[in-house]
Amino acid sequence: MSRQEHRYAALTSALRQRGLECTVEYGLSDYIVHAELPDGSSLIISPPQEPPSEHPESPEGWMVARNRSAEPAVHEVVYDSEPGGPDARHRGSVPDLLAAVDAYLDQLGIPPRQEQERSVEERAANMLPPAPALSRVGAALAPSPSAGQHALQAGLPAESPARAASPPARPSSAHGR
């Protein structure tokens, strides 16, 4: 990995996690991140270019623009934390930059980061489906074998609809009540 790619690794890895192809290229006076969007447009993320940033390792601000030269042409400033820009309060903050870019990509319908999807999928795979009539407490306890429905049902009041609708945890001779 080149020095410039390493410098922008937080940006490129976050964009790649969303399935975007990224390159680090030389802009007007400093390196920029170029990310291809599915619609043929691209995001350009850069520190101040003219004049160049006085602190290249931690720029004082960021500019993000979406561009497409083919019809329909697009040129849109997505984020501007350079001094005097609408997002200047964030200055050179990479987390704030990434939050703004993520929100913008969400608006465009670009899927969330794969890392986030994986954690949701892993959580879903580890959960047992709760019985339809169980309360939130029942759903929260359902994945635990030691806190199964039997323990939950024993703690519910007799008039609880969840208890009445749930199948018995073990055979009972009291079905006819």
Side-chain angles (χ1 to χ4, degrees), residues 35-49:
E36 291 292 326
L37 299 177
D39 68 355
S41 63
S42 59
L43 285 182
I44 305 296
I45 303 173
S46 70
Q49 293 288 305

Side-chain angles (χ1 to χ4, degrees), residues 32-166:
I32 63 171
V33 173
H34 181 261
E36 291 292 326
L37 299 177
D39 68 355
S41 63
S42 59
L43 285 182
I44 305 296
I45 303 173
S46 70
Q49 293 288 305
E50 293 293 326
S53 177
E54 293 177 17
H55 308 286
E57 293 305 314
S58 60
E60 57 270 5
W62 294 98
M63 171 72 77
V64 180
R66 178 177 172 213
N67 295 300
R68 179 177 46 223
S69 55
E71 291 298 324
V74 174
H75 181 76
E76 176 180 20
V77 174
V78 174
Y79 181 82
D80 181 359
S81 69
E82 293 180 1
D87 303 297
R89 69 188 176 282
H90 300 299
R91 311 236 348 132
S93 169
V94 171
D96 288 325
L97 164 70
L98 288 174
V101 169
D102 275 339
Y104 184 75
L105 295 174
D106 290 345
Q107 289 175 355
L108 294 178
I110 296 173
R113 294 182 191 173
Q114 293 170 356
E115 176 180 273
Q116 293 168 348
E117 288 177 341
R118 210 172 327 164
S119 66
V120 169
E121 290 170 7
E122 286 172 2
R123 282 185 278 153
N126 291 331
M127 289 190 66
L128 299 174
L134 287 180
S135 66
R136 287 185 189 173
V137 172
L141 293 176
S144 172
S146 63
Q149 290 180 359
H150 176 70
L152 176 65
Q153 289 175 353
L156 291 175
E159 66 276 1
S160 169
R163 183 176 184 194
S166 298

